[in-house]
Amino acid sequence: MRSRLIGLAGCTKTSCIDFPGTVSTVLFFAGCNLRCPYCHNPHVLESGGELGGASEGVWRFLEKRRSLIDGVVLSGGEPTINPHLEKFATEIASLGYRIKLDTNGLTPEMIERVAPDYLALDVKTDPARYSTHLGASCSDIEAKLRRSVAIARAMGDRAEVRITVAPGIVDRAAVLVLGDMLKGIKTVFLQPMSRRARLLDPAFGNVPAVPDAEIRHYRDLLGGSVGKCIIRGEPVDASVHYASEREAKAA
Ligand code: SF4
């Protein structure tokens, strides 16, 4: 008898872009402990119950597709605030799937309990801005983020840090703080804020974007501290990243 996937808000059955080098299924869990104005998943922010009794269908799919799909991405919302996440991850892994976790890093103890095969850690800005700019209400934000960054650092090529370059939230001062905090991380992605979807704060979509040249400057500032810093959407030598993924899989 499989667990009910309490908090499941949605599922992408097959994805080739969410788990580097891996065909995956993506599970979206409801609820989040932040309120980023640029969030393009506002419908999953409020925690809810299992989506329309979808658990059975998801489990049936995962059991049937083991030979075609290699990984499952636990995403959201913010999946680590779901108290059942470790149990879900263990059950999914027992079917032979590799686990990737997408997280904002504010619940490091759950990252440790899930112990994913691959970690995508969103670090948003200078920790001092989380309350004022991102609606964080928890305490010890910097300590929590540093603990999550340490996990990512220890995972080496099996982890990436992502920074969404949102106007007024990420600027040169914040990037300098992040450069110090992210020292030793192997891969950092700078991702320009997407305006294609409806944002949590629709007015935020009208704020002028951070210019490309400025984002390249952030890359240069971070480049000295981390293994590689890549601007999403710019051509890169992807073979470096995916070779490491294959090595990790073979290990
Ligand atoms: S962008 Fe991510 S961390 Fe921010 S509110 Fe949306 S789901 Fe939460």
Side-chain angles (χ1 to χ4, degrees), residues 101-113:
L101 179 60
D102 291 344
T103 177
N104 63 26
L106 289 178
T107 322
E109 61 277 12
M110 184 58 90
I111 303 176
E112 289 164 353
R113 283 165 55 191

Side-chain angles (χ1 to χ4, degrees), residues 78-117:
E78 174 50 45
T80 63
I81 63 171
N82 186 316
H84 310 287
L85 196 71
E86 180 187 7
K87 180 176 63 173
F88 299 157
T90 302
E91 283 187 54
I92 292 166
S94 75
L95 293 173
Y97 289 103
R98 299 171 65 231
I99 302 285
K100 173 181 177 245
L101 179 60
D102 291 344
T103 177
N104 63 26
L106 289 178
T107 322
E109 61 277 12
M110 184 58 90
I111 303 176
E112 289 164 353
R113 283 165 55 191
V114 169
D117 298 288

